Amino acid sequence: MSNAPSPLRRIARQVYSRLHGSTTRVHGHDNQIELADSVRRHCRIRISGNRNRIEMAPGCRLWDLNLEIVGDDHHLTVGPGCEIRGGHWLLEDRGSRLTIGAGTTTIDSRLLASEGRAIVLGDDCMIGAHVEIRCSDGHSIVNQSDGTRINPAADVTLGSHVWLGSAVRVLKGVTIGKNTVVAAGAVVTRPLPESCVAVGIPARAVRTGTSWDRARLPSP
C-alpha cells in the first residue's frame, strides 16, 4: 500500500500553507522541491543556486522556519512525522547536506551545513530550544608559515533517539551515539558514546547505560 498522499490531500495542504504565509522563492535552474503533503505555516524557503534538492516526507509539520539554500548541489531531506518549530537552517557553498530523521522534533534550531559537509540527525531526536549545530567554523585559521588551513570542515552525526537540551552547541566533526542526552548549555566538541548523559563545556559523559523518554514518567 502506497504512503504517497492523494492528489486532493496534497492540494489541500498546499493551499493551507499558502494561506498561512508560507513562501518559496527560487533563483537558479534544475532545482527540485518535493514538499509531499507537509504542512507549513509562516515558513520561508529561499534557494539561490542550481541543482539543489529539497525532499520533505509526508506528515511533516513546519512552523516559522527560515530555510536558505545558497550555492549549488545541496540536498535537504526531512523524514516523515517531523515537527519543526521555528529556527534557521542554512546550506551554503557547494554540495552540503542536511538530513533530519523520521519523527525528529526541533524548536528554534540553528543548523548550518557548509563547505560540502553533512549534518545528519537520526530518527526520533529531540532538539531543544536554541540549539546550534554546525559542520564548519565559518572562517579559516591558517598557519602563518605557509598559509595552509588548519581547521577544515567535518560532518556532524547524531544517532537515533538523541536529546539535546536547550542552548546546546554541537561543533564540527562530532558524532553522538544513540539514546544519549546532552544537558542544557553544553558545548559538544568531541564524540560522545551512545546511551550516556553528557554535561559541561566541553561536554563529557557523566553517566552511562541510560536512555530517555518523551513522556514524564513517575519518579521512583
Side-chain angles (χ1 to χ4, degrees):
M1 187 176 189
S2 176
N3 291 323
S6 69
L8 186 60
R9 183 178 181 184
R10 183 188 293 261
I11 292 171
R13 293 292 174 87
Q14 290 173 350
V15 170
Y16 175 93
S17 298
R18 290 172 183 168
L19 288 175
H20 287 82
S22 292
T23 59
T24 301
R25 294 187 174 93
V26 180
H27 300 281
H29 61 79
D30 297 327
N31 294 290
Q32 300 178 41
I33 304 175
E34 176 53 66
L35 302 177
D37 69 339
S38 61
V39 176
R40 286 158 285 119
R41 186 183 180 98
H42 302 302
C43 291
R44 295 159 298 282
I45 298 174
R46 289 176 286 179
I47 298 176
S48 179
N50 309 309
R51 300 179 303 278
N52 299 292
R53 188 174 181 182
I54 295 175
E55 297 178 271
M56 294 188 182
C60 294
R61 295 178 177 271
L62 304 94
W63 297 267
D64 302 303
L65 176 67
N66 182 18
L67 168 59
E68 292 185 87
I69 295 180
V70 181
D72 303 333
D73 303 309
H74 302 298
H75 190 183
L76 167 67
T77 305
V78 182
C82 290
E83 293 193 1
I84 311 300
R85 297 178 180 271
H88 180 205
W89 296 358
L90 172 64
L91 289 82
E92 60 180 350
D93 302 319
R94 181 170 190 155
S96 303
R97 183 163 56 95
L98 175 58
T99 302
I100 312 297
T104 286
T105 59
T106 73
I107 301 176
D108 288 327
S109 59
R110 183 172 171 83
L111 308 182
L112 308 175
S114 53
E115 298 194 57
R117 309 308 298 186
I119 295 174
V120 179
L121 309 186
D123 295 344
D124 191 34
C125 289
M126 186 164 66
I127 309 302
H130 311 304
V131 166
E132 180 174 294
I133 303 174
R134 56 171 61 236
C135 55
S136 168
D137 294 331
H139 303 282
S140 299
I141 301 174
V142 298
N143 277 319
Q144 285 187 322
S145 59
D146 59 8
T148 57
R149 184 177 178 184
I150 61 175
N151 66 330
D155 295 346
V156 174
T157 303
L158 273 62
S160 61
H161 200 59
V162 167
W163 175 10
L164 302 183
S166 299
V168 166
R169 299 290 184 268
V170 179
L171 304 186
K172 63 178 188 178
V174 164
T175 298
I176 300 177
K178 64 182 181 180
N179 300 323
T180 284
V181 177
V182 182
V187 178
V188 187
T189 62
R190 62 188 68 146
L192 293 173
E194 65 179 58
S195 304
C196 76
V197 176
V199 304
I201 302 175
R204 60 186 180 87
V206 295
R207 185 162 184 168
T208 58
T210 57
S211 187
W212 60 275
D213 197 301
R214 289 178 184 265
R216 295 175 182 170
L217 303 177
S219 300

